[in-house]
Amino acid sequence: MLSGWDGLQEYLDDGNYDIDNSLSERSIRPFTVGRSACKGFTSEEGVMIAARFYTLVETCKLNGVSPRDYFVKVLEALTNDYGDYEKLTPDRINEI
C-alpha cells in the first residue's frame, strides 16, 4: 500500500482514472467463454489466430464499429487491391 500511495493520490486528483477494471474484464470475456466452449485450440498457431481475431472484434466494439461491417469492408478492400493499409484499422475504417 505504501509503495502505491502516490498512484492512489493521482487517482483522487484526476477524475479520468477508472475505479475498477470492469471494462478490461468485459473485453476479454468473449475470448475466455469461446475458448472454454470450443476447445478447438490444438496448436499455438491456432491460439494466436484466435487472439488476433478477438482483438480486432473487441477493438471494433471500443471504436463503435460493427465487427461484421468492419470485416466486410476489409475483405472488400483487400480483394480490390486497396493500397492504404493504415486505414484498415477499426478506428479509421470509415475513412475509406
Side-chain angles (χ1 to χ4, degrees):
M1 177 72 180
L2 293 176
S3 64
W5 188 253
D6 291 336
L8 181 61
Q9 291 300 109
E10 285 182 33
Y11 168 77
L12 293 173
D13 293 337
D14 186 354
N16 293 320
Y17 291 117
D18 289 330
I19 195 167
D20 58 26
N21 67 345
S22 294
L23 179 62
S24 300
E25 295 280 337
R26 284 192 305 270
S27 295
I28 64 169
R29 181 168 170 67
F31 178 71
T32 56
V33 170
R35 179 188 60 205
S36 63
C38 180
K39 302 292 184 196
F41 302 126
T42 58
S43 69
E44 187 174 328
E45 183 181 7
V47 171
M48 295 305 292
I49 291 169
R52 289 181 190 117
F53 175 75
Y54 281 117
T55 299
L56 282 171
V57 168
E58 293 304 315
T59 304
C60 286
K61 290 179 185 178
L62 287 173
N63 284 286
V65 176
S66 163
R68 180 189 179 282
D69 294 344
Y70 170 75
F71 286 112
V72 167
K73 278 188 171 185
V74 167
L75 290 174
E76 286 174 351
L78 293 175
T79 56
N80 294 327
D81 289 328
Y82 182 76
D84 194 1
Y85 297 115
E86 291 181 9
K87 289 186 180 176
L88 296 180
T89 57
D91 61 327
R92 297 185 66 195
I93 195 68
N94 291 324
E95 294 177 22
I96 63 170

